[in-house]
Amino acid sequence: SPGRVAQSFCPSVFVTGATPTDEKLRAVSLEHELITRALSGDGRAFASLVEPHLAVLYRIAARACGDRTLAEDAVQEALTLAFERLSGYEPGTSFRAFLAAYAVRRAQTLIRGERRRRTREDGSEAPNGQPDPADLARAHQAAQRVRRALAGLPDKRRAVAMLRLDAELSYAEIAQAVGTTEGSARVLVHMALKELREQLADLVTEEKTLEEA
């Protein structure tokens, strides 16, 4: 879970203020101070920077990996890389987008490795039984379909789809994360979501049928 991932980086710092403007100014000032401290090797400062974004990072990784442990590993590795490469962060841009880019890349790398491992082992362990096996099987199949559809997209389209759907980044933030223009990010997101809708149209229809039954 995101909480477990955070343990290796220490607790957060919270900012309070009187007005929204004051809050924003204090947040920017605090972020600048924490980045300066983190660049000097202060792990506590880095923990305070990343903690507000952990849930988003975990959501991205979980969507890609479909496995809690693998998702946690992806987030942990992404945080480690982001800490090591913090000097590459451009002040004034979205720190969430900076972190999300690493989460997407690490999740994609780990899931490719996991697929290769499972191919070598010719299958994986069956999941544990659940109280409602029919619903579980349906949800599991739907999740697999979504992951397969994402995996079938070109790398950059897959990345922008995950950043839009799971991280809920703006187009400007997505452009920053994948290294393109905002206009190109909009086109990539549109193409990715259009392809996903086409591939998963039957899932949407089935879900509506079940709701109406």
Side-chain angles (χ1 to χ4, degrees):
S1 66
R4 190 179 77 79
V5 171
Q7 289 176 2
S8 63
F9 282 105
C10 310
S12 65
V13 175
F14 295 95
V15 183
T16 57
T19 68
T21 301
D22 289 341
E23 288 280 356
K24 186 173 182 179
L25 290 173
R26 288 191 183 191
V28 170
S29 177
L30 177 60
E31 183 178 273
H32 178 74
E33 176 190 343
L34 291 173
I35 289 173
T36 300
R37 287 166 50 195
L39 283 169
S40 68
D42 187 337
R44 287 181 176 272
F46 186 70
S48 298
L49 279 170
V50 304
E51 186 163 0
H53 309 292
L54 283 174
V56 167
L57 300 182
Y58 184 76
R59 195 158 60 239
I60 291 171
R63 169 87 72 177
C65 299
D67 177 273
R68 185 175 65 184
T69 301
L70 207 59
E72 288 175 350
D73 289 345
V75 172
Q76 188 62 60
E77 291 182 19
L79 292 177
T80 299
L81 285 171
F83 185 51
E84 292 173 351
R85 301 174 186 177
L86 188 58
S87 60
Y89 169 67
E90 184 180 344
T93 60
S94 169
F95 190 67
R96 180 174 61 163
F98 175 77
L99 294 175
Y102 284 106
V104 167
R105 288 196 289 270
R106 291 315 301 162
Q108 290 176 343
T109 298
L110 289 186
I111 196 59
R112 282 195 293 266
E114 180 67 7
R115 286 198 195 100
R116 287 193 293 269
R117 184 189 68 79
R118 290 184 178 181
T119 298
R120 286 194 301 268
E121 294 178 357
D122 192 27
S124 58
E125 295 180 6
N128 295 327
Q130 296 291 328
D132 193 338
D135 286 346
L136 178 64
R138 192 158 43 239
H140 180 67
Q141 289 170 1
Q144 282 188 322
R145 283 281 309 282
V146 172
R147 283 194 295 277
R148 282 199 296 268
L150 280 168
L153 296 175
D155 287 348
K156 188 165 277 191
R157 287 191 204 174
R158 183 190 316 126
V160 300
M162 292 165 63
L163 291 171
R164 186 66 173 172
L165 295 173
D166 295 311
E168 299 179 350
L169 297 189
S170 67
Y171 291 111
E173 289 174 320
I174 292 171
Q176 175 192 329
V178 301
T180 189
T181 65
E182 184 173 344
S184 294
R186 288 178 179 275
V187 172
L188 285 167
V189 170
H190 173 76
M191 293 172 67
L193 297 187
K194 180 174 183 291
E195 189 168 341
L196 289 175
R197 280 194 296 268
E198 290 172 353
Q199 292 191 45
L200 302 172
D202 59 306
L203 284 181
V204 177
T205 302
E206 180 182 351
E207 184 66 24
K208 288 181 179 179
T209 301
L210 290 172
E211 289 177 356
E212 295 169 358

